[in-house]
Amino acid sequence: MPKRKTEKKRLNVLQKKPEKLIDKDDMRLDGRKLNELRPVKIEVGVLGNADGSAYIEQGKNKILAAVYGPKEVHPRHLAQPDRAVLRCRYHMAPFSVDERKSPAPSRREVELSKVIREALEPSIFVEYYPRTSIDIFIEVLQADGGTRCAGITTASLALADAGIPMRDLVAACAAGKVDGHLVLDLMDVEDKAGEADVPLALMPNLNAVTLLQMDGSLTIEEFEKAVNLALDGCKQLYALQKEALKSKYVAVKEAVDE
Ligand code: ADP
């Protein structure tokens, strides 16, 4: 399968690409092992005016997610009689990458908004809120590869923070192939100069996959290994998501007790 990156962007990256992305001791450029996640910091309830919100730092990625709803749908004709309509906007800030990005939604952002919505929808009891909408906004403030997955992980927490009934949280992580090695949680240079990446989203408690994509090429055996690696990454992120949710309520309880 051909890589979908534009030729110009790929050439730029390949010109800047270091000779080796993985050294002889199987260490990556940022000092990670092959199966290691980037450092993750998550905070829930960071925005006062949204119904729910969360913020993640995963390596150099910095992403904010906000949720409004369930609320009346505008325009009204979009309302569904039997369920809430889920809407999602994934957006990269102009300053989120090294060369200014146009603030207008690109084709990539439109596509990612759709796949992120589809990855989150199975986790929500949309049938509880007929004729309403739930709006999800994902703002990428700084991008360094894997932003769709980090966006899903964060938006799922923002939905939980908004008090929306959910079957499970959704955690997402990519695995892929770089310099012939299967690796977890690709950063930008690995994503662009590597051979393949496989973003995956999981509802860990239900063991249900809600997003599976592949960019690049892998053998069937490599694909299976990459999926297992990504599943493991999702489970690690799930533990961090639960911790972040709990710490918000511990902080609220302490404030009330004082
Ligand atoms: P994901 O962020 O989910 O991995 P892509 O594979 O499409 O999605 O993008 C990989 C990375 O490429 C992004 O995380 C970001 O760091 C970088 N990128 C995306 N769009 C641009 C752009 N317009 N200019 C520069 N870098 C970009």
Side-chain angles (χ1 to χ4, degrees):
M1 193 199 298
K3 294 217 94 175
R4 68 174 135 72
K5 279 111 203 169
T6 64
E7 207 45 36
K8 182 168 163 253
K9 253 192 229 156
R10 238 179 107 62
L11 284 176
N12 276 344
V13 171
L14 292 178
Q15 276 161 9
K16 282 190 233 159
K17 181 191 171 218
E19 218 170 277
K20 277 190 167 182
L21 290 168
I22 296 176
D23 72 11
K24 58 180 181 6
D25 299 321
D26 284 353
M27 280 296 200
R28 295 154 77 178
L29 285 181
D30 57 359
R32 275 187 294 157
K33 292 186 231 139
L34 301 180
N35 61 353
E36 197 175 333
L37 279 180
R38 287 173 281 188
V40 178
K41 195 182 114 190
I42 306 178
E43 215 177 312
V44 174
V46 290
L47 300 173
N49 295 340
D51 292 322
S53 58
Y55 171 73
I56 198 167
E57 287 181 10
Q58 185 165 353
K60 291 186 190 148
N61 283 328
K62 297 187 179 188
I63 301 174
L64 197 54
V67 166
Y68 292 87
K71 60 181 181 55
E72 203 172 285
V73 190
H74 292 289
R76 283 249 176 119
H77 69 266
L78 294 179
Q80 295 293 320
D82 55 345
R83 63 183 177 89
V85 182
L86 190 63
R87 296 188 289 201
C88 177
R89 191 191 75 170
Y90 162 100
H91 181 248
M92 280 187 19
F95 49 81
S96 62
V97 283
D98 49 9
E99 253 176 62
R100 178 187 176 277
K101 180 208 152 278
S102 159
S106 62
R107 252 180 56 178
R108 172 180 172 274
E109 286 166 300
V110 173
E111 179 202 326
L112 291 199
S113 299
K114 176 180 181 283
V115 299
I116 292 173
R117 174 172 54 75
E118 288 173 354
L120 292 167
E121 191 150 9
S123 72
I124 303 170
F125 287 101
V126 283
E127 62 275 21
Y128 285 9
Y129 299 101
R131 298 181 194 288
T132 66
S133 76
I134 299 169
D135 293 345
I136 303 168
F137 296 91
I138 296 172
E139 284 294 321
V140 179
L141 306 175
Q142 190 167 285
D144 190 39
T147 58
R148 85 193 59 198
C149 289
I152 292 169
T153 304
T154 319
S156 183
L157 282 171
L159 285 162
D161 185 43
I164 291 168
M166 292 162 75
R167 293 179 176 87
D168 198 357
L169 286 169
V170 185
C173 187
K177 189 175 164 189
V178 175
D179 282 357
H181 295 77
L182 291 173
V183 300
L184 180 65
D185 192 17
L186 286 75
M187 56 186 170
D188 190 50
V189 62
E190 294 175 332
D191 180 306
K192 289 192 180 126
E195 292 95 283
D197 79 311
V198 180
L200 184 148
L202 176 74
M203 291 194 281
N205 224 12
L206 303 175
N207 205 21
V209 170
T210 62
L211 168 99
L212 180 59
Q213 296 184 292
M214 185 167 99
D215 186 9
S217 54
L218 293 173
T219 64
I220 293 175
E221 292 76 33
E222 285 170 341
F223 178 73
E224 276 174 18
K225 280 189 191 155
V227 166
N228 284 328
L229 208 50
L231 286 170
D232 187 53
C234 291
K235 287 173 192 157
Q236 292 182 48
L237 284 160
Y238 187 53
L240 299 172
Q241 281 177 308
K242 287 192 290 187
E243 228 172 77
L245 259 181
K246 274 191 218 149
S247 42
K248 175 185 167 183
Y249 290 100
V250 169
V252 170
K253 187 173 177 300
E254 279 169 3
V256 170
D257 290 348
E258 266 169 23

